[in-house]
Amino acid sequence: MGANSTQAQAVVLFLVAFTLIAAGVAGNISFVPLLSGLVLLGVSVGLFLKCKPWEHKEE
C-alpha cells in the first residue's frame, strides 16, 4: 500500500465517520451525528476508490 496524502485523508475521514456514527447510535438526542458520519463514510469510500488505481501503477 502506497502512502500518499489522498489515502491519509481517506483514513482520517473513515475514523471520524465511525466516531460520529457511534456517537449518533449512543445518543438518542438527534440524528445529526449519525447522518454526518454516514456522509463522511461515503466520502471516505469515494477517496479510497479514487486511490485504488494508483496501487497497481508501475513506477
Side-chain angles (χ1 to χ4, degrees):
M1 180 173 187
N4 59 46
S5 62
T6 306
Q7 286 177 331
Q9 291 171 353
V11 169
V12 168
L13 287 177
F14 186 79
L15 294 174
V16 170
F18 271 101
T19 302
L20 287 173
I21 291 171
V25 170
N28 293 327
I29 300 170
S30 69
F31 289 106
V32 174
L34 181 63
L35 292 176
S36 299
L38 290 174
V39 167
L40 286 178
L41 186 63
V43 172
S44 174
V45 168
L47 285 174
F48 276 126
L49 290 175
K50 179 181 174 184
C51 294
K52 184 66 176 167
W54 300 339
E55 293 294 320
H56 301 291
K57 185 178 173 183
E58 295 292 328
E59 295 195 25

